[in-house]
Amino acid sequence: METEKKVITNPGGEYSVVLIPNDMIESLKEKFGNDVLWIYDEESQELTLIKKPQSYTDALSGLGAEMWKQGEGGTEFIRREREQWDD
């Protein structure tokens, strides 16, 4: 797959546009379907593509369950986290 990477930057330099080749888009559609979430991490400057879940509730169900089972439990964890918040 030989493609040319093109990057276009606006005059103010506030953002960049990366053109993704059509064959790559078609490959992503085959893998994920048409419902894809594009998530950009500012800190790492990485773009992540994930398949959009049919149900966010089902996808997030049980998230953090390990935290509630650890040593002091989730309530203590939340208390410590809140103590670190700025007023």
Side-chain angles (χ1 to χ4, degrees):
M1 173 170 72
E2 189 174 319
T3 59
E4 180 181 333
K5 179 181 175 186
K6 298 177 185 178
V7 178
I8 304 166
T9 305
N10 70 329
E14 295 175 14
Y15 62 88
S16 295
V17 176
V18 178
L19 301 178
I20 301 172
N22 285 336
D23 55 345
M24 186 177 287
I25 295 290
E26 291 305 317
S27 177
L28 291 169
K29 283 183 180 180
E30 286 176 22
K31 182 170 183 145
F32 297 116
N34 288 327
D35 294 327
V36 177
L37 299 177
W38 300 67
I39 303 166
Y40 181 70
D41 184 329
E42 292 278 343
E43 188 174 316
S44 66
Q45 296 185 342
E46 292 180 340
L47 178 66
T48 304
L49 302 175
I50 61 171
K51 182 175 174 83
K52 181 179 174 185
Q54 288 183 351
S55 166
Y56 285 99
T57 302
D58 291 343
L60 298 174
S61 178
L63 189 63
E66 315 81 47
M67 177 186 70
W68 294 102
K69 295 177 184 176
Q70 290 177 358
E72 301 172 19
T75 304
E76 182 60 27
F77 173 80
I78 290 172
R79 185 192 60 73
R80 285 194 316 270
E81 286 296 310
R82 287 180 177 163
E83 287 175 355
Q84 295 177 19
W85 293 352
D86 292 334
D87 291 324

